[in-house]
Amino acid sequence: MKTIDELLSEGVAGKRVFVRADLNVPLDGTTITDDGRIRAVVPTVKALADAGARVIVASHLGRPKGVPDPAFSLAPAAARLGELLGADVAFAEDTVGTSAEAVVSGLADGQVAVIENLRFNAGETSKDDAERAAFADKLAGLADVYVGDGFGAVHRKHASVFDLPKRLPHYAGYLIATEVGVLKKLTDDVQRPYVVALGGAKVSDKLAVIDQLLGKADRLLIGGGMAYTFLKAKGYEVGISLLQEDQIPAVQEYIERAEKNGVELVLPVDVLVASEFPDLKTKAPANPATVAADAIPADQEGLDIGPETRKLYASKLADAATVFWNGPMGVFEHPDYAEGTKAVAQALVDAPGFTVVGGGDSAAAVRTLGFDENAFGHISTGGGASLEYLEGKTLPGLAALED
């Protein structure tokens, strides 16, 4: 895989460089609530602009279903990118139409533009190879060189991720190079003890990665909504907690395999419960109760790991040489259910080894809860991409850059 450093050494002054970024940031209306993904691509964009390239930044945002939707416009992300670069960033109001052509043709050396949401064109996400190829051909007409730096999208076989790099000289940006280097430390060159903490809502989202980790990790800590399927698999009452009953047989098999393989599978010993889900808008006090994990009342819902589980998980992370964490331990968006996620984040900060926060909600939680990002070894920008890499899957966006 050729990198941006090789491209810069070849010279980019005057060249139109298409940067496939991941600007898929959370929005409250037009207000960005977490700009982490935008900040992550700044080093690549700045290096190219400083070297005299005419930089065209492209990304998706949300799921607009192939048609323009103002709610998913990249205009706020373009404005924020300009603030971070300390320079004007032009914005095209379409992807491959008259606005994009005019904005790109108007770029001078060292200037940057952002084109509108790629998913406003159905060809971006189409499962029809010809439709994707047609869109990729139009995108290729905007540029001379391709730089892939949207790690959060490399697990998607989309036009700008998979088809476009085949049409242009292609290189990996700084973010993708960093992300791949980190993931290799979690797969090819693991320092032990290797501890993985998995949370989030659905156990079905994590089954494949758990399957892989049962042969690689030393300890596996389970939290979040997915924990209740594990507790149910052990025969416990879980009340009205989030539960995927159809996954219980698979989870039971994993519990047995963990014991057989000598992998320490650690489940909550206590949880915070309430009779209803908290109001995340008003953040009204929820007044949860703490109960043992095997004594959840039938009319109550588990919403966070309890104080004894926090201590237990911290102790299991205390000597870790390598840690991967993906998924919050509870409904961290509400202050009454944030302590479990906060405790795991703090345990990563305190751990002596290399710590990786695996993107998605975990990365958002770290920032929301006020942690210094530099206190972690790495905060990934791609939760789904990270998990699929750990599952051993071939990621289309990386395969295209390696060709």
Side-chain angles (χ1 to χ4, degrees), residues 3 20-21 58 85 115 128 196 208 248 266 302 313 320 345 349:
T3 68
R20 202 332 180 160
L85 290 170
I115 63 174
D128 181 272
V196 176
I248 288 176
V266 189
Y313 285 12
V349 171

Side-chain angles (χ1 to χ4, degrees), residues 56-59 68 73-74 91-104 114-118 120-121 135 139 142:
I56 305 142
V57 180
S59 176
S73 174
L74 279 174
F91 182 66
E93 296 177 350
D94 56 25
T95 55
V96 292
T98 55
S99 179
E101 291 172 358
V103 166
V104 171
V114 173
I115 63 174
E116 187 54 285
N117 192 337
L118 292 163
F120 285 1
N121 190 304
F135 183 47
L139 290 172
L142 296 174

Side-chain angles (χ1 to χ4, degrees), residues 5-24:
D5 284 332
E6 293 172 80
L7 172 60
L8 292 170
S9 70
E10 295 165 6
V12 293
K15 291 184 179 179
R16 300 170 303 163
V17 180
F18 188 103
V19 177
R20 202 332 180 160
D22 179 7
L23 308 181
N24 185 29

Side-chain angles (χ1 to χ4, degrees), residues 54 82 205 211 231 324:
R54 303 178 183 192
D205 293 341
D211 184 68
L231 294 174
F324 176 72

Side-chain angles (χ1 to χ4, degrees), residues 23 25-36 38 61 74-81 83:
L23 308 181
V25 292
L27 293 171
D28 182 2
T30 59
T31 301
I32 297 169
T33 57
D34 181 359
D35 68 355
I38 302 175
L61 192 152
L74 279 174
R80 180 58 180 148
L81 178 61
E83 291 172 356

